[in-house]
Amino acid sequence: MTMIGLSGSMFAVPAVAADEAAPKENPGSTVKWGPCPEDVAAEAAPSVLECGTVPVPMDYSNPDGPRIDIAISRLASQNPEKRRGVLMLHPGGPTSSGLSQPGFLVQQGLPTSVSDSYDVIGMDSRGIARSAPVSCGFTPDSPYTMNVPPYAPDDAAVLEQAEVVKSVAEQCAANDEDGTLKHFTTANTARDMDRIRAALGEEKTSFLGYSYGSALGAAYASMFPERSDRIVLDSNLGDTHLDRDGLRRYAQGMEDSFPTFAKWAAERDDSYGLGSTAEEVRQTYFELAEKLDETPVEGMDGALFRMSVFGSLFSEQAYPQLAQSWQSMRDPDGQEPQPAAGEDAEAPDMDNSLSVFLTVTCNDVEWPEDVDTYRKGVEEDRVKYPLFGAATANILPCAFWEHEPVEPPVAVNDEGPENILITQNLRDPATPHSGGELMREKFEDRSRLVSVDATGHGAYLLSGNSCALDVTTNFLVDGEMPKWDKFCRAG
């Protein structure tokens, strides 16, 4: 699931002039650095990034065959005496461009001790934006516009969705004229990371990954344990890939995180009128969803409403806009519903974003092909997780995907250095706490779990929790791994 970034800066960070940003090159590096594209530079400001590319094989079983270029960025350490290596980043998705992410994390208050310790490396992983982008040919008026399936109010809706996603899978296959789509996998992205490490002239790499980035980091630490330095896995899927169980856990995440919004709205009932108690706000949610199921309005139906609420729970900063949109839907008075946070179906990169999500997700692991499996799951989860279960259990194009996985999903490797810090909010709408628990269980003694009493998607820097900030920073800078799993209280 895409990590939704917070807007604005937590701290004022001075810009670094381009002539002051030139680091001492690692003599083993083969990357040629230059200015970043204007849009990347603007998103990263006031940080000044450099950009370059690293060539990698399209197909690692044929390393001398066709190559693709992976676009990377660098926020160079300004303190050569403290620099200890590189810190690679991944923002999640797997749909998100990460070239500007070093600057984004600075905007969120990345401590100088971290940016002094590392050259912070962003990237567009294979298939995304400037790294051999994949395309299924989606358009804004396509029947498939979101990476989470639509809520299915009844069994007929599952069968209808099955017809839609079958045509989507066929469309992706038809657009794969050169037959390369099968090589866009998490395992190959981890191999790309190791090529980037080598191109940067480093013996090891540290890593910070959010959401899907946790799966990628887990894959890298499992495939290349002795080349992994300090690994932070934040907002965890629970494995090295997203499978059907992981997607269905989104519903648990919404059940966990929704009460925080409901309490917030109830405390502001005089302003928004959504209910004077959390339970009344929850009931308002169901009333609005069912009303829109029966009578959609322009630009909004029940499925889109539920999806927009899910996206808005990624950050508490989105609560006012979410409450305002509910208010306009409940008492329209001629107002058109406003999109809530996370609703980006008409973004310019929608085709690439959806195409990457499907390609990686469907290629990583075999998905059930029997439509009845999804019908049964939707029926179960509609009752178990009434807020969103009938969406996340619904059918994806992966059920009809043309390619079988070219290799098994990466198995978590619990043998290796004790260098994996797992950070996880207790109330995360997309990756519930159970995802962190699963990752901790699989990595065993290689890891520690930091559970954070916070709501939202992203614990380190994004939750505002001082304990999570300190524990993770101390690990990245000084290698201080907690002796035991740790609980961070709210605040």
Side-chain angles (χ1 to χ4, degrees):
M1 186 72 191
T2 301
M3 184 185 72
I4 296 182
L6 311 185
S7 61
S9 300
M10 291 173 61
F11 303 101
V13 182
V16 179
D19 59 348
E20 296 175 352
K24 290 184 177 179
E25 294 286 353
N26 185 326
S29 175
T30 60
V31 179
K32 295 182 179 179
W33 298 104
C36 289
E38 289 184 4
D39 60 325
V40 174
E43 291 172 3
S47 300
V48 176
L49 307 184
E50 301 165 285
C51 285
T53 59
V54 175
V56 301
M58 170 64 81
D59 177 4
Y60 276 91
S61 68
N62 180 23
D64 296 324
R67 298 199 161 215
I68 58 176
D69 286 332
I70 304 299
I72 63 174
S73 64
R74 175 174 69 171
L75 177 64
S77 167
Q78 299 301 302
N79 194 329
E81 293 182 359
K82 292 186 177 180
R83 183 192 181 279
R84 63 179 311 277
V86 296
L87 175 66
M88 293 190 197
L89 308 176
H90 199 282
T95 62
S96 301
S97 169
L99 285 185
S100 64
Q101 194 184 10
F104 170 75
L105 293 185
V106 170
Q107 294 165 10
Q108 302 311 309
L110 183 71
T112 303
S113 56
V114 177
S115 55
D116 279 349
S117 297
Y118 299 96
D119 290 348
V120 184
I121 306 297
M123 65 176 171
D124 283 353
S125 50
R126 64 166 53 203
I128 295 172
R130 293 176 171 87
S131 296
V134 299
S135 170
C136 289
F138 296 122
T139 61
D141 58 357
S142 167
Y144 192 84
T145 57
M146 293 188 181
N147 55 15
V148 177
Y151 187 93
D154 52 34
D155 185 62
V158 183
L159 295 174
E160 181 181 348
Q161 180 67 5
E163 293 299 317
V164 171
V165 299
K166 184 175 186 293
S167 67
V168 168
E170 292 170 349
Q171 179 178 340
C172 290
N175 273 266
D176 184 26
E177 296 179 358
D178 55 5
T180 59
L181 214 58
K182 62 187 176 183
H183 301 303
F184 291 84
T185 66
T186 299
N188 279 343
T189 300
R191 294 179 179 111
D192 294 344
M193 284 176 54
D194 204 52
R195 291 293 181 109
I196 294 170
R197 173 203 58 77
L200 294 173
E202 302 290 336
E203 294 183 1
K204 295 183 178 184
T205 184
S206 293
F207 180 83
L208 168 60
Y210 294 86
S211 198
Y212 166 80
S214 70
L216 176 60
Y220 185 85
S222 296
M223 296 170 68
F224 306 101
E226 300 308 320
R227 297 177 199 165
S228 64
D229 192 5
R230 297 170 184 171
I231 308 296
V232 179
L233 310 179
D234 195 304
S235 307
N236 290 261
L237 297 186
D239 213 323
T240 62
H241 55 274
L242 178 64
D243 58 14
R244 186 163 181 259
D245 289 340
L247 184 61
R248 290 175 78 177
R249 281 194 290 273
Y250 290 9
Q252 176 64 65
M254 186 161 175
E255 294 286 346
D256 292 343
S257 57
F258 185 86
T260 303
F261 167 72
K263 181 176 182 292
W264 180 93
E267 292 170 347
R268 295 159 177 80
D269 185 47
D270 287 347
S271 295
Y272 296 111
L274 304 180
S276 60
T277 67
E279 184 54 42
E280 287 181 1
V281 175
R282 183 180 175 94
Q283 187 57 39
T284 299
Y285 169 86
F286 290 119
E287 290 172 358
L288 286 171
E290 291 166 7
K291 175 184 176 181
L292 290 166
D293 283 338
E294 296 174 1
T295 311
V297 298
E298 185 176 355
M300 184 68 67
D301 59 15
L304 184 56
F305 169 76
R306 293 176 174 94
M307 181 64 189
S308 69
V309 175
F310 172 71
S312 295
L313 297 177
F314 277 46
S315 167
E316 293 183 61
Q317 292 187 10
Y319 287 1
Q321 184 182 353
L322 177 60
Q324 184 184 51
S325 70
W326 284 29
Q327 193 175 31
S328 66
M329 281 181 273
R330 195 174 195 186
D331 305 300
D333 292 331
Q335 302 179 60
E336 292 187 7
Q338 298 299 310
E343 189 179 328
D344 58 356
E346 296 188 9
D349 61 350
M350 181 206 71
D351 173 39
N352 182 230
S353 177
L354 286 175
S355 301
V356 172
F357 175 82
L358 288 179
T359 301
V360 174
T361 301
C362 300
N363 284 344
D364 272 356
V365 64
E366 293 188 19
W367 286 69
E369 299 177 359
D370 184 3
V371 177
D372 287 343
T373 299
Y374 298 91
R375 297 170 69 188
K376 180 180 178 182
V378 167
E379 184 179 359
E380 292 173 351
D381 287 6
R382 185 185 295 113
V383 176
K384 189 174 182 180
Y385 307 112
L387 290 171
F388 206 47
T392 59
N394 205 354
I395 191 166
L396 282 176
C398 298
F400 302 99
W401 202 244
E402 177 174 290
H403 299 294
E404 295 293 324
V406 296
E407 59 184 317
V410 178
V412 172
N413 182 0
D414 61 7
E415 296 183 3
E418 296 180 11
N419 65 341
I420 298 170
L421 190 70
I422 300 166
T423 54
Q424 185 70 50
N425 288 341
L426 294 185
R427 298 172 298 280
D428 184 317
T431 55
H433 191 260
S434 58
E437 293 171 342
L438 285 168
M439 200 72 93
R440 173 70 171 92
E441 179 182 342
K442 290 170 183 175
F443 272 116
E444 296 187 355
D445 291 342
R446 286 191 69 186
S447 66
R448 298 290 186 273
L449 172 62
V450 180
S451 301
V452 185
D453 186 4
T455 300
H457 196 46
Y460 182 54
L461 298 174
L462 305 182
S463 69
N465 185 275
S466 58
C467 167
L469 175 69
D470 290 345
V471 171
T472 309
T473 298
N474 289 339
F475 172 68
L476 287 172
V477 175
D478 299 319
E480 293 182 10
M481 175 78 84
K483 188 173 183 180
W484 313 103
D485 290 348
K486 187 172 182 63
F487 178 79
C488 285
R489 299 184 182 277

